[in-house]
Amino acid sequence: MVREAAPDISARRIPLLINRNYALLWLGQNISVIGDQVFNTTLVVWIGAVLTFHLSYSALALSGVLIAAALPSLLFAPIAGVFVDRWDRRRTLIAADALRALLIAALLPVAGVISLPFLSVGHISLEAQLGAIYVVVFLTSACAQFFNPARLGLIGDIVAEPQQARASGLAQASQSLAIILGPPLAAPLLFTFGVEWALVIDALSFVVSLLTILAVRPPVVLTRAQSGKKGNLWREMREGVGFVRHNRMLIAIVISLVFVVLGSGALNTLLIYFLTQYLHTPAAFYGFIGAAEGVGALGGALIAGLFAQKLGVGRVYSWSMIVAGALFVLLAQMTDAIPALVIIAVIGVFSAAANVALTPLVLHLVPRALLGRVFSLIQPFIVLGSLVGTALAGYLDGVVLQGFQIHVLGQTFRSVDTIYIAAGILVLIGGIYALLALRSMAASKNPERQHTTNDDAIPQGVA
């Protein structure tokens, strides 16, 4: 593998968006994630309030979308990572965006927007419509298994290490902005103009992303395919597994992430019940919770992007999770919506800061040749942990702790707030573990061994 150095950054020319290449990538992704949020929210409302309204299996139909979105990460991510490391990053991104645009557009006939000679929406059964939605969601999620690690690798190519935290902060800010803007746009678009607008917006957002990536000019990199070397799928996958297995810092990051997603999965699952039963607030207030978290995350992403590299991304990553876990425990004690809303906004700040710090941390620890495989090995743990946390929270609340109530030191604990406290403690444990693990490794860092199979070195500005 031969790689040119990442281009020098001229803060005088583009002080915020780092350089021309990253500015183009960021612009395309900013539009794409807003389109995704509009589409995802519309999908939930379309299935729950239109297609299966008043049907007994409405909730089951919605859960099918979540399963279809999660399965590709568990089934394909490690294999996808091998091919991402073989292929040209930019071309992989372009192909994934093109395929996703076509897949979303393929739902237009199912929604009755486009009439085909052999397909009439009046003759499409509800089961066939749901099946088509599940297939499209599954396939677009499969495309994302190639797109996401390729994007991470491209960022590593076009952004120098001192600016990678800022790049991560800008990307996280885009995601937060999409969470704020996307869902409020979705329902009015659906009920005023029809589902076709959400489909068209999402498909076009992938086209815009594709066009901006086409304009990106990354450094010349000789890929495995271009070098003429023959690849072996299982051997290359074992290389990625071996790198993770022998890298104590990566193992520490994965373990801490599993704790965090276990806790956050439980928190998100029961949020609507916590709002109505514990904060004594109407369900209509639920949208404000997402907005508060999004606003907090937007601020946290921008702040962390500016200061994480100076403070040390390892410290920012660990302490952000510790503070977020403590705030989750505090949230469980709330009985009024306004203080709870403030706490949720602050949780958003620290959650975003942890996410911002994670990207440069991984980019430093993993050599370019293994980045796709390592990223794709970590991702299934995150998805699986979130699914387990979600399922476990529902089981504990609905079966094990049903009717649970206990009084301790004048405080009453019931099922949801008890689960919230336990979830917050899990997040707290994940942060403390990461802090101790990264600190002990920083104390014994060896800069001469960076990016070897047993690389645990942490450069200045990371730990």
Side-chain angles (χ1 to χ4, degrees):
M1 305 284 290
V2 179
R3 174 181 174 178
E4 292 183 359
D8 290 336
I9 295 166
S10 175
R12 290 173 296 179
R13 255 191 284 176
I14 310 178
L16 178 61
L17 299 182
I18 303 172
N19 59 46
R20 174 189 174 276
N21 281 330
Y22 184 76
L24 287 165
L25 182 64
W26 177 85
L27 176 63
Q29 291 310 290
N30 206 17
I31 295 171
S32 180
V33 294
I34 292 176
D36 284 346
Q37 285 296 326
V38 171
F39 174 71
N40 293 339
T41 307
T42 300
L43 211 57
V44 171
V45 179
W46 185 29
I47 293 174
V50 178
L51 295 180
T52 64
F53 189 57
H54 288 323
L55 294 178
S56 59
Y57 59 87
S58 180
L60 182 62
L62 279 175
S63 67
V65 175
L66 300 177
I67 294 170
L71 274 178
S73 177
L74 302 177
L75 297 177
F76 304 136
I79 296 174
V82 173
F83 290 101
V84 167
D85 285 336
R86 287 184 186 179
W87 298 338
D88 180 84
R89 303 281 200 253
R90 178 171 165 272
R91 291 177 182 174
T92 302
L93 294 174
I94 292 169
D97 270 344
L99 284 172
R100 288 189 289 184
L102 292 173
L103 286 167
I104 299 300
L107 282 178
L108 290 171
V110 177
V113 179
I114 298 176
S115 297
L116 298 177
F118 55 88
L119 186 65
S120 171
V121 72
H123 297 93
I124 302 176
S125 66
L126 174 60
E127 290 76 14
Q129 285 181 296
L130 290 174
I133 292 171
Y134 297 154
V135 169
V136 167
V137 170
F138 180 88
L139 292 176
T140 54
S141 179
C143 289
Q145 307 314 309
F146 293 86
F147 185 91
N148 293 334
R151 179 180 59 186
L152 181 65
L154 185 61
I155 290 174
D157 289 341
I158 63 178
V159 179
E161 186 166 332
Q163 299 297 329
Q164 285 172 359
R166 183 194 291 187
S168 179
L170 289 168
Q172 185 65 37
S174 298
Q175 186 67 42
S176 303
L177 188 63
I179 292 172
I180 296 170
L181 297 179
L185 289 173
L189 279 173
L190 173 63
F191 292 113
T192 304
F193 301 105
V195 69
E196 61 267 25
W197 280 98
L199 298 177
V200 170
I201 286 172
D202 197 32
L204 288 178
S205 73
F206 286 124
V207 173
V208 172
S209 174
L210 182 157
L211 293 174
T212 58
I213 294 168
L214 273 172
V216 171
R217 295 291 178 264
V220 177
V221 177
L222 183 62
T223 65
R224 179 185 291 270
Q226 292 168 331
S227 68
K229 294 181 180 178
K230 292 184 178 180
N232 181 288
L233 180 65
W234 302 113
R235 187 186 70 242
E236 292 173 51
M237 194 181 298
R238 285 196 301 271
E239 287 176 1
V241 172
F243 181 85
V244 174
R245 186 165 58 89
H246 291 99
N247 191 302
R248 292 179 297 157
M249 278 196 69
L250 282 175
I251 292 174
I253 289 170
V254 171
I255 291 173
S256 65
L257 284 173
V258 169
F259 274 104
V260 170
V261 296
L262 275 172
S264 59
L267 290 161
N268 293 332
T269 302
L270 302 177
L271 190 56
I272 185 67
Y273 306 108
F274 182 72
L275 175 70
T276 55
Q277 299 173 17
Y278 291 75
L279 302 182
H280 314 291
T281 304
F285 195 76
Y286 185 79
F288 290 98
I289 292 180
E293 185 178 7
V295 170
L298 179 61
L302 294 174
I303 294 170
L306 292 174
F307 298 107
Q309 207 83 43
K310 296 177 182 178
L311 297 174
V313 290
R315 294 191 192 96
V316 172
Y317 172 75
S318 305
W319 278 106
S320 293
M321 290 190 294
I322 291 172
V323 175
L327 288 170
F328 278 136
V329 174
L330 179 62
L331 178 65
Q333 312 305 310
M334 294 295 105
T335 57
D336 186 76
I338 301 304
L341 206 62
V342 173
I343 292 174
I344 288 171
V346 180
I347 288 173
V349 172
F350 287 97
S351 297
N355 287 330
V356 168
L358 183 59
T359 295
L361 198 54
V362 172
L363 283 173
H364 166 73
L365 289 172
V366 184
R368 186 190 190 280
L370 290 169
L371 193 57
R373 279 165 281 180
V374 171
F375 180 90
S376 297
L377 287 170
I378 294 174
Q379 190 65 22
F381 284 100
I382 298 174
V383 173
L384 188 60
S386 181
L387 291 175
V388 170
T390 298
L392 187 60
Y395 177 72
L396 289 173
D397 181 57
V399 179
V400 178
L401 297 178
Q402 191 173 34
F404 174 81
Q405 186 168 308
I406 188 173
H407 303 277
V408 178
L409 300 176
Q411 189 81 15
T412 300
F413 297 94
R414 291 179 286 167
S415 62
V416 174
D417 56 350
T418 301
I419 295 170
Y420 265 31
I421 291 172
I425 290 172
L426 282 176
V427 176
L428 193 63
I429 290 172
I432 293 172
Y433 174 77
L435 180 68
L436 296 177
L438 298 182
R439 178 183 291 172
S440 65
M441 293 168 199
S444 59
K445 67 182 180 181
N446 182 0
E448 298 299 322
R449 295 171 57 243
Q450 289 184 24
H451 291 165
T452 64
T453 304
N454 295 297
D455 177 24
D456 291 324
I458 313 173
Q460 187 175 2
V462 174

